[in-house]
Amino acid sequence: MAEEQKTTKVDVESPAVVAPVKEPTPVPVEASKAWQRRRFILHHLLTSPKLLPLSKLLAEPIEDPTPKKGSADRDVILADLEKEKKSSFIKAWEESEKSKAENKAQKKISDVLAWENSKKAATEAQLRKIEEKLEKKKAVYGEKMKNKVAAIHKQAEEKRAMVEAKKGEELLKAEETAAKYRATGVVPKATCGCF
């Protein structure tokens, strides 16, 4: 600014040395079309929910998304584009974070499911082991009980045999005594006091 003021002073003082005013050089048609194509692609990337392949975007005719305005509005338009760009980046970041959180939660859920399945399998294996032990114990105790029943039956048979043997001895003794009484003619005394 200070230099411009100095040059203006110089210009005012010496009108013969006036610097020629440069007109803006016109932008070649090819460069302006390339710039418009870039703006169109950028605008499409920022605003379109569905992304198209780059080859399709290059093939589409250029539609200027903003009406042509003066250079004063250019800053506003660029600020709006920057704002849209930032909001799309924020939205993409948010979706990325949500996706990460979803994937992390899904992984943890699958880990919990795998843990649950392994614990269930271990518990069921333990239950089968206990059932097998109980079946073995049942078989062992069943065998013991059968042996005990067989031993009791054997003892009962022995006792029956002893009773039968004693009965046979007593019958034989009674027959011998009766034969002795018959031979002597003596009447035996009553063993019971009732008679």
Side-chain angles (χ1 to χ4, degrees), residues 13 19 26-27 49 52 62-63 71 107 110 112 123 141 151 161 167 177 194:
E13 291 174 5
V27 178
L52 295 173
I62 301 172
E63 298 171 12
S71 64
K107 185 180 182 296
S110 66
V112 168
T123 305
Y141 285 128
K167 175 183 150 188
T177 311
C194 301

Side-chain angles (χ1 to χ4, degrees), residues 7-148:
T7 51
T8 15
K9 287 180 183 176
V10 172
D11 289 341
V12 173
E13 291 174 5
S14 59
V17 188
V18 175
V21 177
K22 288 187 179 180
E23 291 183 19
T25 57
V27 178
V29 176
E30 288 296 319
S32 67
K33 281 186 178 182
W35 173 249
Q36 285 179 349
R37 170 99 28 224
R38 286 187 194 117
R39 272 183 62 200
F40 172 71
I41 291 171
L42 180 64
H43 179 73
H44 174 74
L45 289 174
L46 293 175
T47 58
S48 177
K50 185 178 179 184
L51 294 177
L52 295 173
L54 189 59
S55 59
K56 229 176 193 180
L57 284 176
L58 292 174
E60 286 186 11
I62 301 172
E63 298 171 12
D64 193 4
T66 57
K68 295 197 176 197
K69 297 179 182 176
S71 64
D73 292 333
R74 184 170 184 251
D75 293 336
V76 173
I77 293 168
L78 287 175
D80 286 345
L81 280 175
E82 189 66 28
K83 187 177 179 182
E84 286 178 18
K85 183 179 173 183
K86 283 181 182 179
S87 68
S88 69
F89 282 140
I90 291 170
K91 187 176 181 182
W93 177 84
E94 178 186 13
E95 289 175 2
S96 170
E97 290 298 311
K98 284 181 179 178
S99 172
K100 284 180 189 176
E102 189 71 31
N103 291 341
K104 194 175 185 180
Q106 194 66 27
K107 185 180 182 296
K108 287 189 177 188
I109 286 172
S110 66
D111 289 345
V112 168
L113 184 62
W115 175 83
E116 178 187 16
N117 289 340
S118 69
K119 289 296 181 181
K120 278 184 183 178
T123 305
E124 288 172 359
Q126 192 176 15
L127 179 66
R128 280 193 299 274
K129 217 179 228 184
I130 291 170
E131 285 175 349
E132 287 174 9
K133 282 182 181 178
L134 289 176
E135 286 295 323
K136 285 180 182 176
K137 281 185 179 181
K138 183 179 176 183
V140 168
Y141 285 128
E143 192 66 33
K144 283 183 181 178
M145 291 301 123
K146 284 179 184 177
N147 291 343
K148 214 172 192 181

